[in-house]
Amino acid sequence: MIGYYNYTVLFTLFGTLSGVVGIRFALTGNIFASIICLMLCGFFDMFDGTIARTKKNRSEMEKKYGVQLDSLSDVICFGVLPTMIVLEITAPLGHVNTLCILYLITAISRLAYFNVEEEMRTKNESTPRKTYTGLPVTATAILLPVLYFIGSFCESLLPIIILIGILTIAAFQISKIKLPHLQMKGLITCLIIGILLLGALIFLRFQ
């Protein structure tokens, strides 16, 4: 059986599963559930690399396999899933909502660019990455739920808010803006923000 199946890839595979389930929810119109799945994808992606690095005896093949697996999973979780969510929310706008396809294009373009850039960087540098160029696609796991939360207070404007928001995210993904690479403190901060946001969404849903 080809591939590597151990605890180092579990979070990546759990994230992929969350992404597929989220797409299914989006297709059936259950936006709230698909948003939760998107946030779960973000959680699993946040720590999959950290968990993988705890295995000290990984071969170069295992490391490269993990990188490729993570990137392919990101296409589903942070490319296709957000696009399907936005398509469903912005359906009242008619054919204008197909503009959100631009988000999917920038997401996969950024992932491809990052993979090539990282491979070239590691040939010349052995130190960890300190900055990112452009907004990481994983940021959508927080930004889209935030837009959804804000738009929930004025449902008539929700489709417009979501469409403008996702196109803005798309622009930042392929921009040359420099952003710091999050260390453990930054990841924990994002986790706390995510938990608070999840609580706010649940409260809003069931109040």
Side-chain angles (χ1 to χ4, degrees):
M1 185 167 64
I2 63 172
Y4 298 93
Y5 304 95
N6 52 52
Y7 77 91
T8 64
V9 299
L10 274 181
F11 264 38
T12 301
L13 295 177
F14 284 148
T16 306
L17 178 62
S18 299
V20 173
V21 172
I23 292 170
R24 172 61 177 169
F25 279 131
L27 288 172
T28 57
N30 193 338
I31 300 303
F32 176 77
S34 61
I35 288 285
I36 299 302
C37 286
L38 175 61
M39 296 180 73
L40 278 175
C41 290
F43 168 76
F44 288 124
D45 183 81
M46 193 179 299
F47 296 105
D48 61 354
T50 302
I51 291 174
R53 286 188 290 272
T54 62
K55 192 173 187 290
K56 301 301 182 183
N57 60 341
R58 283 191 303 162
S59 66
E60 282 302 310
M61 184 68 174
E62 283 183 282
K63 292 177 182 178
K64 290 182 181 297
Y65 173 81
V67 170
Q68 294 302 320
L69 188 69
D70 181 68
S71 187
L72 291 170
S73 177
D74 285 350
V75 172
I76 296 171
C77 297
F78 309 111
V80 178
L81 174 56
T83 302
M84 297 306 298
I85 292 173
V86 174
L87 278 172
E88 183 64 29
I89 293 176
T90 59
L93 299 178
H95 295 305
V96 174
N97 76 336
T98 55
L99 285 173
C100 73
I101 299 298
L102 292 172
Y103 167 82
L104 180 58
I105 293 172
T106 61
I108 60 177
S109 295
R110 184 192 163 16
L111 286 167
Y113 181 84
F114 174 79
N115 287 349
V116 174
E117 182 193 41
E118 183 66 9
E119 184 176 343
M120 295 177 66
R121 186 190 72 84
T122 53
K123 289 180 179 179
N124 303 312
E125 301 177 22
S126 57
T127 56
R129 173 182 287 273
K130 293 183 179 180
T131 61
Y132 285 115
T133 301
L135 182 70
V137 296
T138 52
T140 309
I142 287 289
L143 296 178
L144 187 55
V146 167
L147 292 170
Y148 180 72
F149 177 75
I150 294 172
S152 296
F153 290 98
C154 187
E155 293 190 7
S156 62
L157 293 178
L158 178 60
I160 297 174
I161 291 171
I162 292 295
L163 185 58
I164 292 175
I166 202 69
L167 292 178
T168 302
I169 293 171
F172 275 106
Q173 284 181 161
I174 55 175
S175 71
K176 292 188 175 181
I177 185 173
K178 295 289 185 180
L179 296 171
H181 180 251
L182 295 179
Q183 303 301 318
M184 186 54 68
K185 286 184 179 179
L187 293 176
I188 292 174
T189 299
C190 288
L191 178 61
I192 292 172
I193 292 172
I195 292 172
L196 293 174
L197 179 59
L198 176 62
L201 287 170
I202 292 174
F203 175 78
L204 193 65
R205 171 75 173 183
F206 297 106
Q207 70 173 349

